[in-house]
Amino acid sequence: EDALAYHSTEPKGKIGIVTTKPTQTQKDLSLAYTPGVAEPCREIAKDASKAYEYTARGNLVGVLTNGTAVLGLGDIGPLAGKPVMEGKGVLFKRFAGIDVFDIEIDEKDPNKFIDICKAMEPTFGGVNLEDIKAPECFEIETKLKEICAIPIFHDDQHGTAIISGAALLNACELQKKKLDQIKIIFSGAGAAAISCARHYVQLGVCKENIILVDSRGVIYDGRSGINGYKREFSQPANTKIRTLADAFIDADVFVGLSVGGLVSQQMLKSMAPRPIVLAMANPDPEISYPDAIAARDDIIMATGRSDFPNQVNNVLGFPFIFRGALDCRASCINDAMKIAATMALAELAKAGNVPQAILNAYDLPSLDYGPDYIIPKPMDPRVLIYESVAVAKAAMDTGVAQQPINDLAAYATRLERLAYSLGTSSSL
């Protein structure tokens, strides 16, 4: 009832449009529209890059969906998914000051969806794809990245990978495990799981040490019903590991992107010493936090929930990644930028001096790097600075920044002022 009331009070929904220039006088209106508006049109017609000078394009992201995989609700269609897309717009604005148009597209054919998105490219500085089912989401993002000259980012894939990657780095450090030696098992083999596995390999995990388990068991060569994306992490046909319980034996890391209640305490007990558990099913993790720590006193655990330590929350990623990408006018969001985002989050968790406002918000006397604090809190205003700067720098280092930032220190100061203006904290 509270959720319905929140969305239905006037004005309806959660987002709106405000003007950013004076509109009080006749002269104001003649500049905003005809005849004055013709002047920037002429300039943009001569030089397309002037659109970033004379329009809102450089701070505008399109949140695009076809509603085929909305949260845990499944294929409910684009219209029913609109509240989620509006909510995404709220988060972009609240955490990074980025404007959003949410676009709900009634089209399931991947090629037609791609054509529609491509046709809207002139509108946006970047596109956040959202709630599109696998495996079509892989095809759609890959093709759009090939044909568009603006950042294209499917958050359901990469957001979880980037944030959980930071948790993995710090957990391995604390548990004294080497990335190239750990054995990782995944429960779930959808878009998020595949993207996480790929990202972990980029961070240094050996691909051969990753085991994917879907609803039918372990992914292995020769098993029927495996698409090409799952096959990327397929085990040899002669593997003796066939079930999730089999995969748990001597595993160092469990990554859950499936359904709640799937993992038992006995499974955790069969893991290697000092295990790492990232149980990210929502709203209920694959094993509850109390059950996990009761089963293993040497565990480091993260979930998708805010009521337990180490919340893996995608809001730690997409607003700040797009902030950095837009500010240097990146033509894409590449692997180096994703890795930079992960590294920035991992670094911030170890930086200390967590703002008092954050401690107050979570009713904590202190918050220090350790098993219960391996990734920053979503409300920490420093995330905007650490992550956006790192992403922009990576874009410049890899040659995809079309408008490089000459002074990163000054950029960080500007982001600090933005954090204040957004009200992310009363004190940095």
Side-chain angles (χ1 to χ4, degrees), residues 16 96 115 158 193 252 257 316 338 342 370 383:
D115 289 342
H158 308 299
D252 296 286
L257 292 158
L316 278 168
K338 296 170 197 170
T342 290
V383 178

Side-chain angles (χ1 to χ4, degrees), residues 111-370:
N111 291 320
K112 292 180 180 178
F113 187 90
I114 290 166
D115 289 342
I116 294 167
C117 294
K118 170 60 179 173
M120 288 190 286
E121 181 181 359
T123 302
F124 303 114
V127 166
N128 182 106
L129 299 170
E130 193 77 13
D131 291 347
I132 302 169
K133 72 181 181 72
E136 289 88 340
C137 62
F138 297 111
E139 177 186 351
I140 288 169
E141 186 194 41
T142 298
K143 185 61 178 178
L144 284 173
K145 287 173 71 173
E146 290 175 359
I147 63 177
C148 293
I150 59 174
I152 307 292
F153 185 81
H154 184 207
D155 184 50
D156 302 296
Q157 290 183 57
H158 308 299
T160 303
I162 288 164
I163 290 98
S164 68
L168 177 67
L169 289 177
N170 284 342
C172 283
E173 179 178 275
L174 291 166
Q175 298 289 58
K176 295 179 170 54
K177 293 178 182 285
K178 294 182 178 180
L179 286 171
D180 61 354
Q181 296 178 6
I182 56 173
K183 173 186 173 184
I184 302 182
I185 54 173
F186 280 81
S187 173
I194 298 294
S195 185
C196 282
R198 288 172 174 172
H199 190 62
Y200 297 172
V201 170
Q202 292 274 346
L203 294 174
V205 173
C206 286
K207 184 178 179 181
E208 295 74 18
N209 293 343
I210 294 176
I211 300 174
L212 290 187
V213 186
D214 64 9
S215 59
R216 295 174 54 202
V218 170
I219 307 296
Y220 61 88
D221 294 340
R223 206 196 84 178
S224 61
I226 302 175
N227 62 44
Y229 301 102
K230 293 182 181 182
R231 194 172 295 115
E232 184 177 339
F233 294 93
S234 182
Q235 293 293 300
N238 62 354
T239 181
K240 295 182 180 180
I241 303 171
R242 286 288 195 265
T243 68
L244 183 61
D246 293 340
F248 260 95
I249 298 172
D250 295 325
D252 296 286
V253 181
F254 168 72
V255 180
L257 292 158
S258 52
V259 295
L262 201 62
V263 173
S264 68
Q265 289 182 312
Q266 191 58 44
M267 290 178 182
L268 291 194
K269 291 177 181 178
S270 72
M271 294 181 74
R274 306 180 311 282
I276 298 163
V277 172
L278 310 178
M280 297 178 285
N282 265 320
D284 299 313
E286 285 79 3
I287 183 170
S288 72
Y289 185 84
D291 284 352
I293 61 174
R296 296 291 298 255
D297 60 7
D298 59 346
I299 195 173
I300 290 181
M301 184 171 181
T303 71
R305 296 179 62 112
S306 60
D307 50 351
F308 296 112
N310 303 320
Q311 183 191 16
V312 177
N313 188 327
N314 278 22
V315 80
L316 278 168
F318 65 87
F320 316 110
I321 293 166
F322 269 98
R323 181 74 278 157
L326 292 174
D327 288 342
C328 69
R329 207 181 296 170
S331 59
C332 65
I333 294 172
N334 59 28
D335 287 342
M337 295 162 72
K338 296 170 197 170
I339 291 169
T342 290
M343 296 296 188
L345 290 170
E347 179 186 353
L348 179 54
K350 295 187 280 188
N353 300 315
V354 175
Q356 186 62 46
I358 302 305
L359 300 179
N360 294 343
Y362 290 90
D363 195 24
L364 295 169
S366 63
L367 203 52
D368 300 306
Y369 178 59

Side-chain angles (χ1 to χ4, degrees), residues 386-399:
Y386 271 68
E387 192 169 355
S388 301
V389 170
V391 168
K393 184 179 185 302
M396 292 187 288
D397 290 345
T398 54

